[in-house]
Amino acid sequence: MKNYTRILLLSILLAPFATMAGNGIKNQNKETNYARKIVNGQVNFSNSFSAFYTEDFSGGVPSGWQQIDSAGNGKVWKHTTTGAFDNTTLDSNGTTSNNGYMIIDSDSSLSSIGGENADLITDAIDCTGKPTVVLNFNEFLTHFNDTATVWVSTDGTTWFEIHNTSAGLAQYASTPNANNVDIDITAYAANQATVYIRFNYRADYSYYWMIDDVQLYELPTTDLAVTSVLAPLTSCTLLGPTEAVSINLYNEGGTDIFGGITVTMVADNGTPVVETIADTITVGSDYQYNFTGTVDFSAPGNHTLAVYVTLTGDTNTTNDTVNAMIFNGPHVVNYTNFYTNGFEPADDLSGYLVEDTNNDSITWELSTQFPHSGLYSAKISGTVADDWYFTTCLDMDSSIAYKLNYFSKTSSTSTQALLEILIGDIQSAGGMNQQILTPNYITNAIYTAETVVFSPFVSGTYYIGFHVSTADSLVGFWLDDINIVPDTGVGVKKVDAINVSLYPNPTSGEVFVNSKETSKNGFIVEVFSPIGQIVSKNITESLSNYKIDLKNQDSGIYIVRIISEKGITSRHISLTR
């Protein structure tokens, strides 16, 4: 049995809770992390601060900054507004990249220069009178064989490593674009008259590292944030009239908070419920608070829950509120109710789940890199994929033929992804029991609209699973704009629409396709190798004893895909020697 990791998409992984106090649970201190993710598909915010040092590279390479080429081949950081050698740019949604940013582009060097070792060092920064100092910057790194590190020094000679962007990234994987990095450097920089920050990149014909909006700031004196609603969450089994409410708070500030905290919740725009917290929340700690009051979310469908915190002296009120959308029961899909999801902040993603079947810590994520529409799409990247992306629960009727519409693409035509789609009554790979799209290699580098027509075997609650696997060097597969509606039967290409047989199978060389089906436009017959390469692609008027020659191919499992105006049919061939 394979080990795998299953995680709720967009969830924040909290450190183990330590001690119980009243209605709250306090966490041990943890590494400061100010970049907050979307919670319950609703809220996306980061810390708000007033920087005492900032550089957005709007004027090019800043005066006083140092460029050091330790490799001696002339490769240094450059100012850019157009991005990398392959036209990848820094995402302007999270940065001020439109006015320029810095890049070290190993991809443009090719292998002949022998590698890069390039430093970009700030001018001297005065941190006198700053008892706390935090470094903040935006970055985007695509990793192959690079080491991208950040260092701090007070004399320009002795350096301390404080961040390694490359650590934990698989080959061909990328950080979010843009990735906001927040590092508490108080231990090195507090009250120091001269502080230097060094960005060091070492590689040899790798990809690129981009940075923008470098800032130093002090921690706010008092800052308490609401980071997430822990309960209740979207549930496929009906919620009740007295659901407990639990939230997570985080001390973003520079001092401990000794009670005096007011927390308020408002369910479905109703009467506010106000409670108080008397416990201490130490700097850099999470605190779980369980309301004594409950909420009535027994009615099926959408519910809203707004939670906010009030604290005297709080210097940052932008992170005091979380608005969660909670869906009770399965989403009914019929002739009057459709289902759509475009992975946007306004969409409910709290019921979605990903499964990292090959347990390589690389799985589906939200990406702003290439959305089909809006700001986000679902993406998976890595050298080898075996990962599932499950929708939330859907109530479907076996008497209805459904159309599953979606858009998908890969990075390029040479990096195919093997996609199959199944439905099942359990949100896991083992719970997927009805295949609605047989494995197909996706080779289009531009988004293509796809439609799959299916009916569940019996009426009930189902999840749709998108499974991506490949033996090729997958560097990116994107999925966006899922839509499920009843089929009207007009212009829809169905899966397994052609009655076809292949023989002999297994084979040692030649395979014959046989079918009595006819097509006014003929049939497209494609053959894919075990690593997703197209072995052959031909058009034939008839499938009567159509021959496929595999005598010059290696052993393995091949996929034959037949396309006509009636739909798509895929079959596997086992080639043995």
Side-chain angles (χ1 to χ4, degrees), residues 35 62 134 238 245 264 269 321 341 363 377-378 393 399 414 489 500 515 547:
V134 178
L238 291 178
V245 177
T264 304
N269 297 315
T321 302
N341 207 309
T363 191
S377 62
C393 47
S399 67
S414 63
V500 64
S515 176
K547 184 173 74 171

Side-chain angles (χ1 to χ4, degrees), residues 1 7 34 53 75 85 92 98 159 219 221 268 286 295 298 361 370 382 412 430 440-441 470 483 503 510 515 523:
M1 180 178 181
I7 57 175
Y34 295 87
Y53 176 88
K75 193 68 176 180
F85 177 67
S92 60
N98 289 333
W159 294 91
L219 289 173
T221 303
D268 291 334
D286 288 290
V295 295
S298 57
S361 300
F370 296 116
S412 70
N440 280 272
Y441 280 105
T470 182
N483 173 255
Y503 63 91
E510 292 183 342
S515 176
F523 301 91

